[in-house]
Amino acid sequence: MDDEHWMSIALEEAHAAAAEGDVPVGAIITTADGRLIGRGRNRRELDRDPTAHAEIVALRDASKTLGMWRVEGTLFVTQEPCPMCAGAIVNARVKRLVYGCPNPKAGAVKSLFAIVSDPRLNHRVEVRDGVRAEECASVLSEFFAELRRGPTYQP
């Protein structure tokens, strides 16, 4: 299976997050041999947990599946990870990160910081960006446009 296929599953998670009222970011993790071992979507609103980002939820799920903290697979996520998630990706020893659209306000892979490739850290991650980027960005744009149209929006 290719990166575009796996990103479609991450996008399904993003749509599920939006349906639950959370920012639509989805993530999945696969092994080198192509086995899906973790799924996640933003759950901050649902769980009332500031750390419940899609990547963190997927890493926890993969760690539980594997029975260890070293995930060492490929993480697919619809938006460029933030500093917290980029740090968790490094700490989990993820080998490869594939993401959809950039995150110009909080991106910690290329946009603002380069945590996953910082040579001062003890692990670096191979990165592929821009996979289904327009679709990933569109899900976010539509969510925030709808939020602004809603009755509770206050600028």
Side-chain angles (χ1 to χ4, degrees):
M1 307 228 184
D2 63 8
D3 291 348
E4 287 72 17
H5 166 77
W6 292 118
M7 189 61 76
S8 70
I9 298 171
L11 278 160
E12 289 172 11
E13 292 292 330
H15 286 289
E20 294 171 341
D22 253 299
V23 175
V25 176
I28 64 160
I29 301 174
T30 63
T31 60
D33 63 356
R35 188 169 48 105
L36 185 96
I37 57 170
R39 290 176 173 264
R41 61 180 166 261
N42 274 358
R43 298 179 53 92
R44 290 186 310 169
E45 298 298 330
L46 189 64
D47 294 350
R48 293 171 171 62
D49 178 355
T51 67
H53 288 205
E55 301 94 324
I56 302 295
V57 174
L59 285 168
R60 288 175 179 154
D61 191 37
S63 293
K64 184 177 179 182
T65 299
L66 295 171
M68 67 175 93
W69 63 268
R70 287 180 176 268
V71 173
E72 299 182 345
T74 299
L75 188 147
F76 296 85
V77 62
T78 56
Q79 185 181 46
E80 178 183 7
C82 72
M84 175 184 69
C85 293
I89 289 165
V90 170
N91 284 324
R93 306 301 193 267
V94 169
K95 292 201 183 292
R96 187 166 175 258
L97 168 66
V98 178
Y99 69 88
C101 62
N103 184 347
K105 293 183 179 180
V109 176
K110 290 186 177 180
S111 294
L112 298 178
F113 306 103
I115 291 172
V116 302
S117 60
D118 191 319
R120 297 171 295 178
L121 299 176
N122 64 343
H123 177 74
R124 276 157 295 295
V125 180
E126 177 188 334
V127 175
R128 179 176 179 209
D129 63 334
V131 175
R132 298 181 73 168
E134 288 180 22
E135 190 175 354
C136 293
S138 176
V139 172
L140 287 160
S141 297
E142 290 170 17
F143 176 82
F144 286 113
E146 184 64 30
L147 194 63
R148 286 188 292 275
R149 285 191 289 272
T152 59
Y153 177 70
Q154 296 178 10

